[in-house]
Amino acid sequence: MKYLVGFSRLIVGVLFIISGFIKLNDPVGFSFKLEEYFSPGVLDIAFLEPYALELALILVVFEVLLGIMLLLGFKVKLTVWSLLVMIVFFTFLTFYSAYFNKVTDCGCFGDAIKLTPWESFTKDIILLVLIIVLFVGMQHLNPLFGDRTKRLVVGVSLMVSVIFAYYVLHHLPAIDFRPYKVGANITEGMSVPEDAPKAVFDYAWTFDVNGEEKVIVTQGDYPTVDGELLGVETTEIVKGYEPPIHDFTIEQDGEDFASALLEEPKLMMVIAYDLRKSNYGAFKEIKETTDKAMKNGYKVIGMSASDSEFTARKKKEFRFGFDFYFTDETTLKTIVRSNPGVLLLEKGTIVQKVHYNDLGDLKF
């Protein structure tokens, strides 16, 4: 039992620290995931949506600290009980997501490691078993250091976590795991290799044969049946290749200008996924930055999921010299964790990306 507890302690502690740090690197992204869980279509607790960012910060800092406290053997009973409560809650969420197909990515490891809903649930079941082992064998969780050292390490860890969270909130994630990181080419990210795996579907054909319904399943071929076709249902049984960047459009009046704009040698994107939630205090500097960019030969565009009437009003109010295009809100949230944020591109390649607090760092 002693060795089993030691093994479980190491695995659970390290996984909680890694998982927590990845989400701490991008708390805004994790808050978007919490909003998805809180939405009416999932858990229907929309009253928590305005507090998603605060809850995300508390959860990820607590997750990191629990991993450290477990490894140190600090306040063992509190630590193990907290781990148990947290993993039971997460296991419920991942099962709910997987069974009802509500949230296709739990965000357990942010954008660094993508897990399917059932993979997330399996991971949580394994962690639940390991934490139960820790709960049963709690007496074997011996401290690694004295109380003063443990308190110091936990205190310093809390301080570092808070400082790091403050930094990434007011700038951008320190490590960008998304397909829109600096150096990535958006056009290449949307392409599908010729030898990419193809999706495989089952086709369930329903026929009326002599007054009785008969279902025949094929993988695309129309079955030879002496009867009247009533309908067909398709089910994806093997997932095909999905490019890292998909559903990316830059639309205006129903026309997609993405291909043409991604060929621009000097393009500046001003991204505000929702202009109603944007930090208007940054728009004066956005105006100065975009005017300067246009003088330096840049094509400047705005990208938002807000309606055209509202974007037109904001363009007039802040005297922007560029037009807004429509892009899916989720895509814009993925591109940059800042509202607004700015990107510089050269023929589709992202060369710079900044938070509105760092507009002065742009070089063009």
Side-chain angles (χ1 to χ4, degrees), residues 4 7-20 23 63 67 70 80 82-91 94 106 108-109 115 119-136:
L4 186 57
F7 172 80
S8 301
R9 177 184 193 173
L10 180 63
I11 298 299
V12 173
V14 170
L15 276 179
F16 264 69
I17 292 170
I18 292 173
S19 174
K23 294 194 286 286
E63 190 173 357
L70 178 63
V80 175
S82 299
L83 287 168
L84 186 60
V85 170
M86 185 174 281
I87 199 60
V88 168
F89 174 68
F90 284 149
T91 303
T94 53
C106 72
C108 306
F109 294 98
L115 298 177
E119 287 172 344
S120 300
F121 175 66
T122 302
K123 179 263 299 176
D124 285 343
I125 287 293
I126 293 170
L127 279 173
L128 177 59
V129 171
L130 294 175
I131 291 172
I132 290 174
V133 170
L134 295 174
F135 186 83
V136 173

Side-chain angles (χ1 to χ4, degrees), residues 5 76-77 80-81 133-142:
V5 168
V76 172
K77 186 175 289 188
V80 175
W81 269 105
V133 170
L134 295 174
F135 186 83
V136 173
M138 202 181 300
Q139 69 273 18
H140 298 294
L141 291 172
N142 299 317

Side-chain angles (χ1 to χ4, degrees), residues 42-57:
V42 186
L43 297 177
D44 195 17
I45 46 176
F47 68 92
L48 288 177
E49 288 186 30
Y51 310 104
L53 182 57
E54 290 82 358
L55 290 171
L57 287 167

Side-chain angles (χ1 to χ4, degrees), residues 81-262:
W81 269 105
S82 299
L83 287 168
L84 186 60
V85 170
M86 185 174 281
I87 199 60
V88 168
F89 174 68
F90 284 149
T91 303
F92 162 74
L93 280 186
T94 53
F95 172 76
Y96 184 88
S97 299
Y99 187 80
F100 294 101
N101 197 29
K102 291 290 188 178
V103 180
T104 56
D105 174 21
C106 72
C108 306
F109 294 98
D111 291 287
I113 304 172
K114 294 288 188 179
L115 298 177
T116 66
W118 284 115
E119 287 172 344
S120 300
F121 175 66
T122 302
K123 179 263 299 176
D124 285 343
I125 287 293
I126 293 170
L127 279 173
L128 177 59
V129 171
L130 294 175
I131 291 172
I132 290 174
V133 170
L134 295 174
F135 186 83
V136 173
M138 202 181 300
Q139 69 273 18
H140 298 294
L141 291 172
N142 299 317
L144 296 184
F145 306 103
D147 282 348
R148 183 175 296 180
T149 302
K150 288 186 295 183
R151 291 179 187 279
L152 178 62
V153 172
V154 172
V156 170
S157 300
L158 174 61
M159 183 177 65
V160 170
S161 296
V162 170
I163 292 172
F164 184 64
Y166 181 86
Y167 174 83
V168 296
L169 277 176
H170 291 81
H171 301 280
L172 289 178
I175 306 171
D176 196 345
F177 295 106
R178 289 157 291 155
Y180 298 95
K181 59 180 174 290
V182 172
N185 184 280
I186 295 178
T187 304
E188 291 176 1
M190 291 191 290
S191 64
V192 178
E194 291 183 5
D195 59 346
K198 308 293 184 186
V200 178
F201 295 88
D202 270 349
Y203 292 75
W205 309 85
T206 304
F207 291 88
D208 182 346
V209 181
N210 298 325
E212 294 184 4
E213 285 191 5
K214 184 176 182 180
V215 178
I216 298 177
V217 179
T218 72
Q219 289 191 349
D221 298 331
Y222 188 86
T224 303
V225 179
D226 187 12
E228 179 188 354
L229 177 66
L230 300 178
V232 60
E233 292 184 1
T234 59
T235 304
E236 188 178 33
I237 58 173
V238 177
K239 192 171 180 64
Y241 174 82
E242 185 177 71
I245 296 176
H246 49 277
D247 299 331
F248 179 88
T249 59
I250 307 176
E251 299 177 14
Q252 196 174 70
D253 299 325
E255 185 177 352
D256 185 9
F257 292 90
S259 298
L261 288 168
L262 291 176

